[in-house]
Amino acid sequence: MARMGYQYGTSPRKLEPDYKRTKKTQKGNLKIVKDVQRQDVKLSKEQRKKQTRVTLIVIAIFAVLLTISYRNSQINEKFNNVQTLKKQLSSIEKENEQMKVNIENGLNLNNIEKLAKEKLGMQKLTNRQTVYINLPKRDYVEAASEEVIVEQEKNWFEKFTDKIFNK
């Protein structure tokens, strides 16, 4: 009842046995031959080439993925370093601004005078502490009496032309 591989009906089809039947022997018993072990099957050269190609492709894909993951980890490390350096930079800039403000406050003459009196024990000058010195009104700077001549070094061509034309 089966046509072209189709089976009609509700009963399942029968499977072929795993052994081969041989001719009946004289006693009428069947002789059973076991399957060939799969280890004894030899691969052809083409199949070996295909297997080596596939393994090389898998190894290459693994190497590429490993390289990409390593590169990404390096990028993450560098990014984290940049972030920590940016935080350090911002804190140093804040300290710098605070120091600038402190310096500007310290440049105030009233603050300088106050610090000099408190920390160093300094006082303002009085008229008794002033000493006057008399200097003659004559100027001690003399004009240059000698003329200074500055000679520039000449290159070899200028020296040669001077020797020829000055003879």
Side-chain angles (χ1 to χ4, degrees), residues 32-165:
I32 299 174
V33 178
K34 293 185 179 180
D35 278 341
V36 179
Q37 292 182 359
R38 296 189 188 265
Q39 295 173 353
D40 294 342
V41 176
K42 294 185 178 180
L43 297 175
S44 68
K45 290 183 180 180
E46 292 176 12
Q47 289 174 338
R48 284 186 188 171
K49 286 182 183 178
K50 284 183 182 179
Q51 283 182 348
T52 54
R53 242 187 245 147
V54 169
T55 25
L56 290 177
I57 289 172
V58 168
I59 290 171
I61 290 172
F62 178 74
V64 167
L65 291 176
L66 185 68
T67 305
I68 289 171
S69 65
Y70 177 74
R71 187 172 147 240
N72 284 341
S73 69
Q74 291 295 319
I75 290 171
N76 285 338
E77 282 183 29
K78 298 296 180 186
F79 180 75
N80 290 337
N81 288 341
V82 167
Q83 293 301 321
T84 56
L85 290 175
K86 281 183 180 180
K87 288 178 185 177
Q88 290 176 355
L89 177 67
S90 65
S91 66
I92 289 172
E93 285 177 347
K94 286 179 185 177
E95 288 178 19
N96 194 13
E97 289 298 321
Q98 289 174 350
M99 290 182 146
K100 282 182 182 178
V101 169
N102 289 340
I103 289 171
E104 288 176 5
N105 288 338
L107 291 179
N108 187 357
L109 290 178
N110 293 332
N111 288 340
I112 293 173
E113 186 178 333
K114 183 178 176 185
L115 288 174
K117 285 181 181 178
E118 291 176 359
K119 289 188 178 180
L120 302 175
M122 298 177 90
Q123 298 176 354
K124 283 190 173 183
L125 286 176
T126 61
N127 287 338
R128 285 187 264 149
Q129 293 173 329
T130 307
V131 177
Y132 293 102
I133 299 174
N134 290 328
L135 294 175
K137 296 196 178 203
R138 197 177 105 199
D139 192 10
Y140 289 106
V141 178
E142 295 180 17
S145 60
E146 298 177 7
E147 187 175 326
V148 178
I149 299 173
V150 178
E151 290 187 28
Q152 295 179 345
E153 288 191 32
K154 297 179 180 180
N155 60 20
W156 65 272
F157 183 72
E158 290 175 345
K159 290 178 184 177
F160 180 71
T161 54
D162 287 343
K163 285 183 181 180
I164 292 175
F165 294 118

Side-chain angles (χ1 to χ4, degrees), residues 9-26:
T10 58
S11 63
R13 68 178 182 177
K14 293 183 181 179
L15 296 175
E16 296 289 326
D18 289 342
Y19 57 89
K20 294 181 181 178
R21 289 188 182 188
T22 58
K23 293 182 182 179
K24 291 185 180 181
T25 59
Q26 292 176 356

